[in-house]
Amino acid sequence: MAQRISLIGVPLDCNSSYLRGPAKGPFGLVEALHCDSANLWTETGYDLEPVIDHRGVLDLDDPDTAFAAIEEAAARAGAEPGVAPIFLGGDHSVTYPLVKGLRRSVGDFAILHFDAHPDCYHEFEGNLHSHACPFARIMEEWLCTRLVSVGIRTATGHQREQKERFDIQWLEMRDKANWPRLAFDTPVYVSVDLDALDPAFAPGVSHHEPGGMTTRKLLDILHAVDAPIVGADVVELNPDRDRDRVTAMTGAKIIKELAGMMLNP
């Protein structure tokens, strides 16, 4: 159980395949988190005001060294006793170096991944580090003990082959009525791509994919995690597409509930 939560911005979107904008995501999420329209209490009963440490954003101006900088920052964050990190993206490519660095500090964990997309292409448009590829890199290096991807509704034939190759568990939207209750026997890292949600709940993302989850359903799954959460990321907010900051506020809500679960004994 963590006693404090560190928030670390990861403003990188050079690996986005369609639109730029998620590099602005960390700023939008922090602004929404402290918006006077809400408070910092979690549904699980924690006041986050005294336990959140804002660490600012990483300096990622050089794309050639960005992944190394992200990995080192995650390793340092994971080594802080009593502190659990939540990383604010950025596009989803940042999850690979975050997981790689955090594992160096905290050891083995499973990944609970919320997304419209499997993000397990071997490469996408010639880029091995595209935001469509992080979980292929993670699984190739066996950086997690188990990968569960929830909300999937865009899988291609290649990604279905990758699913079988790496033994990834998918909870696809078409099967939502029969989703099992998840149980974990190791600590968990949570990666939330905001496009896991239906565009009605999260329009401020680069890739609108109808037929997605409600915010409530995502929170229900998060609240049911039965193992320690050792770290998390919330990625793919694109403020340039966010109407009335709806998606930023939704992302802030998810951050609060992640933090509440990390503090849960």
Side-chain angles (χ1 to χ4, degrees):
M1 181 187 73
Q3 287 81 50
R4 301 192 66 82
I5 305 297
S6 62
L7 296 182
I8 301 169
V10 191
L12 190 77
D13 63 9
C14 62
N15 292 305
S16 295
S17 61
Y18 174 53
L19 297 172
R20 297 294 184 266
K24 304 172 187 176
F27 307 98
L29 289 168
V30 170
E31 182 182 21
L33 187 65
H34 293 284
C35 177
D36 288 341
S37 73
N39 60 49
L40 283 171
W41 282 83
T42 73
E43 292 186 11
T44 48
Y46 294 95
D47 180 10
L48 300 180
E49 182 72 44
V51 298
I52 284 186
D53 297 330
H54 288 279
R55 304 295 175 83
V57 298
L58 302 180
D59 180 0
L60 303 175
D61 288 341
D62 183 354
D64 292 334
T65 61
F67 271 24
I70 294 168
E71 180 182 338
E72 288 304 314
R76 288 194 302 271
E80 289 192 63
V83 181
I86 301 177
F87 303 98
L88 313 180
D91 69 36
H92 217 157
S93 70
V94 304
T95 297
Y96 164 53
L98 288 174
V99 164
K100 190 171 184 177
L102 192 66
R103 184 174 179 269
R104 285 165 43 192
S105 298
V106 305
D108 289 340
F109 50 77
I111 297 177
L112 175 58
H113 163 220
F114 295 94
D115 207 324
H117 314 90
D119 287 356
C120 62
Y121 281 103
H122 176 68
E123 58 85 22
F124 193 78
E125 297 178 343
N127 183 2
L128 287 167
H129 294 303
S130 166
H131 69 161
C133 304
F135 293 101
R137 305 289 83 80
I138 287 168
M139 298 308 286
E140 284 170 352
E141 297 183 29
W142 302 107
L143 297 177
C144 66
T145 60
R146 175 187 176 197
L147 173 58
V148 183
S149 299
V150 182
I152 303 303
R153 54 193 188 276
T154 65
T156 64
H158 167 66
Q159 290 187 99
R160 292 189 183 281
E161 291 172 356
Q162 292 281 84
K163 171 183 178 289
E164 296 305 315
R165 175 187 175 193
F166 294 123
D167 194 24
I168 303 170
Q169 181 181 358
W170 287 355
L171 272 58
E172 297 187 60
M173 288 307 302
R174 63 176 182 158
D175 300 323
K176 178 175 170 293
N178 299 310
W179 282 359
R181 182 180 178 88
L182 294 173
F184 295 92
D185 56 9
T186 64
V188 177
Y189 180 91
V190 180
S191 181
V192 180
D193 185 326
L194 289 167
D195 69 27
L197 302 173
D198 192 273
F201 299 92
V205 296
S206 297
H207 298 266
H208 293 158
E209 188 62 40
M213 303 172 68
T214 66
T215 307
R216 186 73 260 164
K217 182 61 178 177
L218 189 153
L219 294 177
D220 287 346
I221 294 172
L222 182 60
H223 286 151
V225 172
D226 61 350
I229 297 177
V230 294
D233 62 59
V234 178
V235 300
E236 294 287 356
L237 171 66
N238 187 338
D240 294 341
R241 305 192 91 192
D242 199 11
R243 295 192 293 271
D244 298 323
R245 297 194 299 170
V246 167
T247 315
M249 293 299 293
T250 300
K253 173 71 171 180
I254 293 168
I255 290 166
K256 287 190 288 188
E257 297 312 313
L258 281 165
M261 291 299 292
M262 290 170 162
L263 296 166
N264 219 17

